[in-house]
Amino acid sequence: MKIQMVDLKGQYLKIKEDINAGIQECIDNTAFINGPAVKEFQYDFEKYLGVKHVIPCANGTDALQIAMMALNLQPGDEIICPAFTYVATAEVIGLLGLKPVMVDVNKDTFDIQLEGLEKYLTPNTKAIVPVHLYGQSADMEQILKFAEKHNLFVIEDNAQAIGSDYTFSDGTVKKTGTIGHIGCTSFFPSKNLGCYGDGGALMTNDDDLAFKIRMIANHGQEKKYYHKVLGCNSRLDTIQAAVLKVKLKHLDEYSASRNRMADYYDANLAGISEIQTPKRAANSTHVFHQYTLRVKNGKRDELQKYLAQKNIPSMVYYPLPLYKQEAFLQYVEEGFSLPVTEQLCKEVISLPVHTEFDQEVLDIIITEIKNYFN
């Protein structure tokens, strides 16, 4: 039995008829760029998220870059982001001549530490990029309060948490990606809502920002061949939109399946003292883009090798803090260190979790983990 981190083939087979029909329609009408499926998916996604504007683009990294371009940030402006995240979050900050200011994360929920916002705030700070890592929301209510107090923009990196709900203290519930000034997401194939190539989107409730984002993503033009601002070329292919339109209908079903798997992992791994199962934040639902354990006592790498020998895949997201990556050394002083981030980079390991698993496969994984620790 071949165990996979993500079973895109199995998922496709369940929706094959609808996917094939959508792709064939794009081919038949030859509207490969900005075809009807793009607008249809955009509308469906706006309804699903409860947001005024969705602007599709070419990928999640472009979404982050376009968001920062739309906010009129200037070279030298500082953007706070977590150090424990995928490179794209900070990469676009540097590419635009801005300064990424990396802060620590919470050891249990992996989201940005509120204490870090206070500690690293300077007169040059202009924005915060919270990352909804692994599938649940950062503490957006407190982040928004801090941002409002200091007149900062909030750009949500929601590439891993599409479909997650955040509940405010007054009972208001919002989808992640719709809470800050701009939300950004990726439709990379392995994401919870993934297409069959690259894709991404930006979300906002601000009409003026939406107008500017659309211009920037379309070469800075409102009217063809008339360019108001410097922009880029970033669009979602029609075929990818057709795929996403079908898969969006199943997104809540996919999230429920991932949660059932996570519950099963939780229940069966709870007795192993040397691992910590994922903590679920009280104010957020979890869509389990990743099911990530913390392995104590320096045994993470040994466990991963053991699982590989048993043909069980696993991944380490992420093995090195961003500030230790060669590309980012210029932004930190020598010896800079964030203790929780460094601890997590040595402890985290993500197990297979996706929509097509059955209990037999889960039992194999759990049995081998127990065998390793016994």
Side-chain angles (χ1 to χ4, degrees):
M1 179 184 296
K2 182 174 176 56
I3 300 175
Q4 298 173 300
M5 286 294 291
V6 179
D7 183 10
L8 294 177
K9 180 68 175 292
Q11 186 187 72
Y12 162 69
L13 291 175
K14 289 186 177 180
I15 53 176
K16 179 178 180 178
E17 185 175 334
D18 291 340
I19 291 287
N20 288 1
I23 293 173
Q24 189 62 53
E25 184 178 349
C26 295
I27 295 171
D28 289 343
N29 65 30
T30 67
F32 300 117
I33 303 296
N34 291 326
V38 178
K39 287 289 186 185
E40 292 164 1
F41 168 67
Q42 175 187 321
Y43 175 73
D44 291 347
F45 203 29
E46 287 169 348
K47 285 180 61 180
Y48 175 83
L49 293 172
V51 70
K52 287 182 71 174
H53 303 283
V54 165
I55 303 97
C57 65
N59 56 69
T61 305
D62 276 8
L64 288 163
Q65 179 171 321
I66 292 166
M68 293 176 196
M69 293 170 70
L71 294 174
N72 297 319
L73 301 171
Q74 301 299 311
D77 286 348
E78 296 178 0
I79 315 297
I80 295 177
C81 66
F84 187 65
T85 183
Y86 183 59
V87 66
T89 310
E91 179 181 39
V92 296
I93 300 173
L95 282 172
L96 292 172
L98 311 170
K99 181 181 178 181
V101 176
M102 302 168 199
V103 304
D104 218 343
V105 297
N106 293 303
K107 65 180 180 179
D108 293 324
T109 55
F110 313 116
D111 59 321
I112 194 167
Q113 279 187 9
L114 299 175
E115 298 86 347
L117 302 182
E118 290 281 1
K119 183 176 180 179
Y120 292 99
L121 179 73
T122 77
N124 293 324
T125 307
K126 296 297 186 292
I128 306 166
V129 186
V131 178
H132 305 314
L133 199 67
Y134 300 150
Q136 65 183 340
S137 182
D139 192 352
M140 290 303 297
E141 184 165 10
Q142 298 306 316
I143 290 169
L144 289 180
K145 286 180 181 178
F146 181 86
E148 184 176 1
K149 178 180 177 181
H150 299 285
N151 196 29
L152 306 176
F153 294 113
V154 176
I155 304 167
E156 294 176 75
D157 185 335
N158 196 38
Q160 298 188 18
I162 280 294
S164 178
D165 292 323
Y166 180 83
T167 302
F168 287 81
S169 56
D170 65 0
T172 301
V173 179
K174 292 185 178 181
K175 293 287 187 188
T176 52
T178 72
I179 303 168
H181 295 89
I182 304 174
C184 302
T185 197
S186 165
F187 301 128
F188 188 80
S190 62
K191 293 293 192 285
N192 292 36
L193 179 61
C195 54
Y196 291 169
D198 271 320
L202 301 96
M203 295 78 75
T204 185
N205 286 301
D206 187 307
D207 295 340
D208 293 336
L209 274 178
F211 176 79
K212 190 165 187 184
I213 288 167
R214 288 192 183 95
M215 280 204 307
I216 291 171
N218 188 29
H219 294 290
Q221 62 187 347
E222 176 189 359
K223 179 181 177 183
K224 196 167 186 178
Y225 301 127
Y226 293 85
H227 307 271
K228 288 191 173 184
V229 296
L230 291 176
C232 59
N233 178 27
S234 186
R235 54 201 175 198
L236 180 66
D237 288 345
T238 308
I239 287 177
Q240 303 303 339
V243 171
L244 291 166
K245 184 182 171 188
V246 172
K247 293 181 74 174
L248 178 60
K249 298 174 184 177
H250 299 274
L251 180 56
D252 287 343
E253 169 194 333
Y254 294 160
S255 297
S257 178
R258 288 172 177 268
N259 269 271
R260 285 193 294 272
M261 288 180 246
D263 289 345
Y264 196 79
Y265 273 136
D266 284 354
N268 286 277
L269 297 175
I272 302 174
S273 62
E274 292 174 286
I275 62 175
Q276 179 176 314
T277 54
K279 180 177 179 179
R280 310 187 192 197
N283 52 6
S284 174
T285 61
H286 207 314
V287 295
F288 284 100
H289 174 62
Q290 304 295 346
Y291 183 88
T292 302
L293 301 174
R294 287 176 53 202
V295 182
K296 304 172 186 177
N297 300 326
K299 293 186 175 181
R300 191 271 310 278
D301 292 345
E302 289 183 9
L303 172 62
Q304 187 173 39
K305 289 178 183 177
Y306 175 83
L307 292 176
Q309 291 169 358
K310 302 297 181 179
N311 297 314
I312 296 172
S314 62
M315 293 292 292
V316 173
Y317 307 106
Y318 300 93
L320 192 67
L322 285 182
Y323 54 83
K324 287 192 173 182
Q325 301 281 356
E326 187 174 351
F328 294 103
L329 294 178
Q330 61 186 303
Y331 299 110
V332 294
E333 295 180 0
E334 187 174 353
F336 180 81
S337 177
L338 298 171
V340 176
T341 292
E342 303 219 0
Q343 180 183 5
L344 292 178
C345 286
K346 297 173 183 176
E347 291 184 349
V348 295
I349 185 170
S350 296
L351 302 179
V353 59
H354 54 79
T355 59
E356 308 312 310
F357 259 179
D358 57 34
Q359 187 171 320
E360 180 183 0
V361 174
L362 288 172
D363 285 338
I364 291 170
I365 297 169
I366 290 164
T367 297
E368 292 300 346
I369 293 173
K370 288 181 175 179
N371 287 342
Y372 172 77
F373 284 106
N374 287 338

